[in-house]
C-alpha cells in the first residue's frame, strides 16, 4: 500500500479539517481515533494505523475499550503516550454513558436496571455484586458495589447490604451482578443468596424488587423470569 502523509491529502479528507468542515458525525471511528493519536508511522498514516487497530477488534469500539496500554503498544506506531490517549478517550466515553443514564435513574423495568448497570459491569473480566437503593417512587437514591470476586463468583455481606439500606432510608432494593462468561442463567448460588436477602428484607420492611444478572449484551431478571 502506497503511503501518502495526511498533510498531502485533500483538505476535506484530513480528519481534523474534515471535523471542522463537516462536523464530528461525518468522521469514521478510525478518523476520530486518528485525531487522538496525531500521527502514524513511517509506513502508515494515522488513519490507516487506526483502521488496522479497529480491524483487529472486529471494528467494535466496545472491544477496543477492553484493551490495556501494553496491549495497544504492540501495534507498530503506538507508543505509550498514544496508547494512554486511546484508553483515556474510551473511558471518558464510557463515563459519559453512565452520566446520561444516571440522569434518568427512575427504575421502571428490568431494562432500566440494565441500562444503568451495563456500562459499569458489562465488560468486566471479573464478577461484581452491586445494589441499587430505591426511594418510595423507585428513584435510585444510591448505588454501591457490595463485593468483587473472581471469574465465577463473589461473596455477599448481608449485614452490610441492609446497613447501607437503612443509612440511605431506602424502601426497596435491586440486586445486580454480572456474569463475565456472558451466560444468562441464574446459578443455585444466585438463587440462594436472593432468597436469603428477600427473607432478611421482609424483617426490616425493605423489599427486594429484583435481582438482575448483567452481561455485555444482555440481562436476566429474576422478576421477569419468575425466579422469585
Amino acid at each position: 500500500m502506497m503511503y501518502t502523509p495526511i498533510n498531502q491529502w485533500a483538505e476535506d479528507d484530513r480528519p481534523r479539517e474534515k471535523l471542522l468542515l463537516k462536523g464530528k458525525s461525518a468522521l469514521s471511528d478510525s478518523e476520530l481515533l486518528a485525531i487522538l493519536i496525531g500521527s502514524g508511522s513511517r509506513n502508515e498514516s494515522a488513519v490507516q494505523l487506526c483502521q488496522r487497530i479497529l480491524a483487529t477488534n472486529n471494528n467494535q469500539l466496545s472491544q477496543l475499550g477492553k484493551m490495556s496500554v501494553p496491549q495497544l503498544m504492540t501495534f507498530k506506531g503506538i507508543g505509550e503516550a498514544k496508547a494512554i490517549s486511546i484508553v483515556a478517550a474510551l473511558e471518558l466515553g464510557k463515563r459519559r454513558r453512565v452520566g446520561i443514564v444516571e440522569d434518568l435513574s427512575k427504575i421502571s423495568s428490568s431494562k432500566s436496571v440494565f441500562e444503568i448497570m451495563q456500562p459499569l459491569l458489562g465488560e468486566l473480566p471479573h464478577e461484581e455484586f452491586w445494589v441499587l437503593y430505591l426511594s418510595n417512587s423507585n428513584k435510585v437514591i444510591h448505588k454501591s458495589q457490595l463485593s468483587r470476586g473472581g471469574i465465577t463468583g463473589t461473596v455477599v455481606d448481608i449485614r452490610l447490604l441492609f446497613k447501607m439500606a437503612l443509612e440511605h432510608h431506602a424502601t426497596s432494593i435491586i440486586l445486580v451482578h454480572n456474569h463475565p462468561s456472558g451466560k444468562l442463567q441464574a446459578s443455585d448460588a444466585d438463587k440462594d443468596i436472593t432468597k436469603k436477602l428477600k427473607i432478611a428484607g421482609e424483617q426490616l420492611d425493605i423489599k427486594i424488587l429484583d435481582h438482575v444478572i448483567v452481561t455485555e449484551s444482555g440481562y436476566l431478571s429474576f422478576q421477569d423470569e419468575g425466579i422469585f
Side-chain angles (χ1 to χ4, degrees), residues 49-106:
L49 173 55
C50 292
Q51 286 172 339
R52 184 160 59 89
I53 293 170
L54 280 168
T56 305
N57 287 278
N58 298 314
N59 292 309
Q60 294 181 2
L61 289 174
S62 60
Q63 190 169 317
L64 178 60
K66 297 176 187 177
M67 294 192 77
S68 64
V69 168
Q71 287 173 326
L72 286 166
M73 288 173 64
T74 62
F75 291 93
K76 186 177 179 181
I78 298 293
E80 185 177 69
K82 290 180 180 178
I84 289 171
S85 294
I86 292 171
V87 169
L90 291 170
E91 177 63 20
L92 275 174
K94 179 180 173 183
R95 293 185 186 187
R96 180 174 179 266
R97 282 177 61 204
V98 173
I100 290 170
V101 169
E102 284 181 345
D103 288 341
L104 305 169
S105 57
K106 183 172 181 176

Side-chain angles (χ1 to χ4, degrees), residues 110-111 113-115 117-118 121-122 127-130 174-194 210-225 227-228:
S110 55
K111 187 179 179 183
V113 179
F114 174 72
E115 289 171 348
M117 298 306 296
Q118 194 280 338
L121 299 178
E127 193 167 304
E128 292 187 0
F129 192 103
W130 284 64
I174 293 176
L175 315 171
V176 188
H177 79 279
N178 62 310
H179 278 180
S181 65
K183 192 174 182 180
L184 283 173
Q185 185 175 340
S187 68
D188 289 340
D190 295 336
K191 294 174 184 176
D192 287 345
I193 190 60
T194 305
D210 203 350
H211 187 163
V212 178
I213 298 172
V214 171
T215 66
E216 184 171 357
S217 58
Y219 68 94
L220 179 142
S221 158
F222 282 39
Q223 183 66 45
D224 294 351
E225 297 296 320
I227 298 174
F228 264 11

